[in-house]
């Protein structure tokens, strides 16, 4: 089952309009110059989440004759990710699509990149106070509402629930705070009995979940904003032989197997390849904004006219019934991962 993708049709219409303009204004249409390169930068670069995102990024780039590079740091470390971003800047790419681990520390690096001639868009997580030209993500508020309604439909509206969280990453923060606010407003008899930061660490999630279970034997549901913590949480629940409904965002091969086995109720997974595809398009169009002459004050204000504040790439609901469609090995069979 797929959640409706809002915003994408409008963005595609904008893209078509820009391409139409370019055919009249730019000889040969919108194409990359030889060697023109776009970089995708992430933290925890070995995480399987990025694989379909980069595939979508590459597919869009290939359509316009552009080169791509996958970059970032293998660590969950904001200092190291910023260092990798600055190394990317040295290469003077036409654009960088970045998943900022934290919002504010990326303001200055993003602004500096744009001031030096490299366009920057963000995806999945944002740095809204920076000069980034676009933000592509799934609707985290919609994900949280969907999760809250599903939890209540399964365990009732007067039960105990808990959340794990990853403070500081904008999309993960929204997935948690929005669910808590929604529960408080619509289901006041739902009781929050645990809220612990696990920071995408499966071992920390195992310990936190075990602690919550011990203190709250009637725990009915657990909401987790990412998949790494879900791995540890499920291990603790299985060890305790507890009956707890688990829902989380994103997916890993391990949590996919737990969904197939019935240990996780469902996952809400952003449409990753669409995220990468639209991420590239937004960055590319910002780098080729000379084909676009909008009716606003960009000429006197001095900002890039190709501003796309938010593109919703949509999300899929993964259950035992459709889990096979999200097998990363099957998806990557015959594809070049580099």
């Amino acid at each position: 089952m797929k959640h409706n993708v809002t915003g994408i049709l409008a963005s595609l219409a904008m893209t078509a309009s820009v391409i139409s303009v370019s055919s009249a204004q730019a000889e040969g249409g919108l194409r990359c110059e030889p060697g023109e390169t776009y970089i995708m930068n992430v933290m925890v670069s070995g995480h399987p989440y990025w694989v379909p995102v980069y595939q979508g990024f590459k597919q869009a780039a290939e359509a316009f004759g552009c080169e791509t590079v996958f970059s970032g740091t293998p660590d969950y470390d904001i200092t190291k990710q910023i260092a990798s971003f600055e190394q990317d800047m040295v290469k003077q790419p036409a654009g960088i699509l970045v998943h900022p681990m934290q919002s504010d520390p990326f303001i200055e690096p993003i602004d500096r990149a744009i001031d030096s001639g490299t366009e920057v868009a963000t995806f999945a997580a944002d740095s809204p106070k920076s000069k980034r030209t676009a933000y592509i993500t799934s609707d985290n508020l919609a994900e949280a509402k969907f999760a809250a309604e599903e939890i209540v439909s399964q365990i009732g509206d007067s039960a105990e629930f808990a959340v794990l969280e990853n403070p500081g990453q904008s999309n993960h923060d929204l997935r948690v705070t929005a669910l808590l606010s929604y529960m408080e407003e619509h289901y006041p008899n739902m009781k929050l009995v645990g809220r612990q930061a696990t920071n995408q660490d499966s071992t920390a999630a195992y310990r936190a979940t075990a602690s919550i279970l011990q203190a709250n034997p009637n725990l009915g549901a657990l909401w987790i904003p990412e998949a790494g913590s879900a791995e540890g949480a499920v291990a603790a629940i299985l060890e305790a032989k507890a009956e707890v409904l688990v829902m989380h965002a994103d997916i890993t091969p391990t949590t996919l197997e737990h969904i197939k086995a019935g240990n996780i109720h469902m996952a809400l997974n952003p449409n990753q390849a669409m995220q990468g595809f639209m991420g590239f398009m937004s960055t590319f169009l910002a780098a080729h904004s000379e084909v676009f002459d909008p009716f606003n004050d960009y000429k006197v204000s001095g900002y890039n006219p190709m501003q796309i504040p938010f593109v919703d790439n949509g999300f899929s609901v993964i259950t035992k019934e459709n889990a096979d469609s999200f097998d990363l090995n099957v998806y990557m069979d015959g594809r070049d991962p580099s």
Side-chain angles (χ1 to χ4, degrees):
M1 179 171 63
K2 290 189 176 181
H3 183 79
N4 288 334
V5 181
T6 59
I8 289 180
L9 291 178
S11 298
L12 290 176
M14 179 184 293
T15 300
S17 174
V18 171
I19 292 173
S20 176
V21 172
S22 75
S23 64
Q25 292 185 349
E27 184 179 350
L30 271 173
R31 296 288 295 174
C32 275
E33 297 292 332
E36 185 175 328
T37 301
Y38 293 80
I39 298 175
M40 181 177 135
N41 182 285
V42 301
M43 81 289 184
V44 195
S45 54
H47 197 288
Y49 180 89
W50 311 124
V51 177
V53 181
Y54 186 58
Q55 288 297 310
F57 187 77
K58 285 202 308 177
Q59 289 168 28
E62 289 168 358
F64 290 88
C66 309
E67 303 292 328
T68 63
V69 174
F70 180 77
S71 179
T73 174
D75 303 294
Y76 190 72
D77 185 312
I78 184 64
T79 302
K80 291 182 178 179
Q81 190 190 6
I82 289 175
S84 72
F85 182 87
E86 290 177 336
Q87 290 170 1
D88 292 339
M89 287 170 54
V90 171
K91 301 170 186 174
Q92 297 183 314
I96 301 175
L97 178 67
V98 62
H99 174 93
M101 178 180 161
Q102 295 174 7
S103 300
D104 289 350
F106 257 99
I107 296 173
E108 192 278 333
I110 289 174
D111 289 356
R112 183 155 36 93
I114 289 175
D115 290 343
S116 69
T118 295
E119 297 302 333
V120 180
T122 58
F123 76 100
D126 194 16
S127 181
K129 296 178 183 178
S130 72
K131 295 179 180 178
R132 58 93 170 123
T133 57
Y135 175 39
I136 298 87
T137 189
S138 55
D139 187 337
N140 303 138
L141 299 178
E143 291 168 341
K145 177 182 176 181
F146 186 100
E149 289 288 353
E150 181 65 18
I151 287 170
V152 169
S153 75
Q154 295 296 316
I155 68 172
D157 62 2
S158 300
E160 295 181 358
F161 74 103
V163 297
L164 304 182
E165 59 185 329
N166 177 31
Q169 187 169 314
S170 64
N171 57 330
H172 293 176
D173 284 339
L174 269 176
R175 286 167 176 166
V176 171
T177 58
L179 179 132
L180 296 181
S181 296
Y182 190 86
M183 287 291 198
E184 183 178 1
E185 179 180 355
H186 297 278
Y187 301 105
N189 293 327
M190 291 294 288
K191 184 178 180 182
L192 176 67
V193 297
R195 180 178 181 179
Q196 295 200 30
T198 52
N199 300 310
Q200 301 194 82
D201 184 325
S202 61
T203 301
Y206 169 85
R207 295 189 186 117
T209 305
S211 175
I212 293 171
L213 284 169
Q214 186 174 16
N216 305 279
N218 294 321
L219 181 69
L222 184 62
W223 167 241
I224 309 168
E226 37 79 23
S229 293
E231 295 180 10
V234 171
I237 291 168
L238 291 174
E239 185 177 284
K241 298 181 179 178
E243 294 290 332
V244 179
L245 181 142
V246 178
M247 288 186 65
H248 68 88
D250 302 341
I251 196 74
T252 65
T254 297
T255 60
L256 188 67
E257 290 305 312
H258 279 301
I259 291 172
K260 292 179 182 179
N263 301 326
I264 293 176
H265 178 60
M266 63 174 53
L268 307 183
N269 195 53
N271 294 331
Q272 293 149 281
M274 178 62 77
Q275 194 172 85
F277 191 96
M278 294 307 298
F280 174 83
M281 291 300 302
S282 300
T283 312
F284 173 77
L285 291 173
H288 290 265
S289 62
E290 71 279 355
V291 303
F292 184 48
D293 185 18
F295 181 56
N296 61 36
D297 65 339
Y298 78 97
K299 290 181 180 179
V300 295
S301 299
Y303 71 92
N304 190 318
M306 185 54 67
Q307 300 290 322
I308 309 174
F310 173 63
V311 175
D312 181 0
N313 54 248
F315 66 86
S316 296
V317 179
I318 305 177
T319 65
K320 190 174 184 178
E321 288 68 33
N322 68 352
D324 286 340
S325 297
F326 297 87
D327 188 316
L328 187 57
N329 289 328
V330 174
Y331 177 75
M332 289 302 295
D333 187 29
R335 298 178 188 268
D336 180 7
S338 61

